[in-house]
Amino acid sequence: MNKQLSTTLSKVPEVTLIFWIIKIAATTLGETGGDAVSMSMNLGYLVATAIFATIFLIAVVAQIKAKAFHPFLYWITIIATTTVGTTMADFADRSLGIGYAGGSTILFALLMTSLAIWYRSMGTVSVDTVGSPKAEMFYWVTIMFSQTLGTALGDWTASTAGLGYEGSAVVFGVLLALMAAAYYWTNISRTLLFWAAFILTRPLGAVVGDFLDKPLNAGGLALSRYSASAVLFALMLTCILFFPQKAAKQAH
């Protein structure tokens, strides 16, 4: 009975191939959208972070108050985490001078701490348990840290490590492929693989987003941040409309 109730109240989508496609599009949109507000609109990282943090808080409150899983609300909240993660990481790395390596290290520690506290408090960090307000709070805080970490990590590999946007995209793409292979051909914890893949999609989206909108002399395609964001949003919308999602029913 308790398991059935947990399934009924699940507030997150079932993890399928379309989930990962939408997630990667959302993380890429977070990069182009965050840069559009902070750079193209010349608002700066701090003001942009304040704007996106407000949107994030409103979306999370709406998500927690919802009585069931709503795809549009869920993915809007995900987009909010990616955009605030982008501007927050850029503010810390560039405006505060922490640097990509330092920012990545701090954010990784915060992410691991969030997961550890969540596990200690709830006994699991599996997505199929995200049905109570307490579990949702842990879920969204963890996601926000993972999205912010992804921005810093993507910038670090592309710039400091010298891999460039394309090279970094290949690295993170290969790592995601390895997670998929481990899912199908090993007995590694599905929950561990889920979070590893979830975290890796963010730096992949970050470097792909930068590749789309950065200047040609910086290794990018110099596309408009607004048009790139619009195309990515349209892709997400199409996937949500044509590939209906259901609430998660089993541990991942």
Side-chain angles (χ1 to χ4, degrees), residues 11 21 23 38 77 80 82 88 90 100 107 118 124 130-131 148 168 173 183-184 190 199 208 224 227 238 240:
K11 304 280 286 294
I21 292 174
K23 174 61 167 61
S38 63
T77 310
T82 64
M88 190 183 302
D90 287 343
Y100 300 134
L107 288 164
W118 180 4
T124 178
V130 182
T148 309
S168 297
Y183 179 87
Y184 286 108
R190 284 359 188 195
I199 292 166
V208 170
S224 164
S227 59
T238 300
I240 294 171

Side-chain angles (χ1 to χ4, degrees), residues 158-208:
S159 301
T160 307
L163 296 179
Y165 303 127
E166 294 170 290
S168 297
V170 170
V171 169
F172 292 120
V174 169
L175 289 174
L176 278 171
L178 290 175
M179 294 302 105
Y183 179 87
Y184 286 108
W185 296 320
T186 74
N187 293 321
I188 297 175
S189 166
R190 284 359 188 195
T191 298
L192 175 62
L193 290 175
F194 168 81
W195 283 111
F198 195 95
I199 292 166
L200 286 171
T201 58
R202 181 59 185 116
L204 174 62
V207 295
V208 170

Side-chain angles (χ1 to χ4, degrees), residues 76-168:
I76 286 173
T77 310
I78 287 290
I79 292 173
T81 66
T82 64
T83 48
V84 73
T86 295
T87 56
M88 190 183 302
D90 287 343
F91 176 72
D93 297 341
R94 300 169 187 174
S95 298
L96 297 182
I98 295 176
Y100 300 134
S104 297
T105 301
I106 292 172
L107 288 164
F108 181 77
L110 289 172
L111 175 60
M112 292 300 103
T113 300
S114 176
L115 284 168
I117 295 174
W118 180 4
Y119 184 83
R120 184 176 180 84
S121 177
M122 306 293 292
T124 178
V125 293
S126 178
V127 296
D128 72 324
T129 64
V130 182
S132 68
K134 185 177 181 180
E136 283 192 90
M137 284 300 298
F138 281 122
Y139 179 79
W140 289 112
V141 168
T142 299
I143 285 179
M144 186 187 69
F145 283 141
S146 76
Q147 307 285 39
T148 309
L149 168 64
T151 300
L153 189 59
D155 288 339
W156 180 77
T157 56
S159 301
T160 307
L163 296 179
Y165 303 127
E166 294 170 290
S168 297

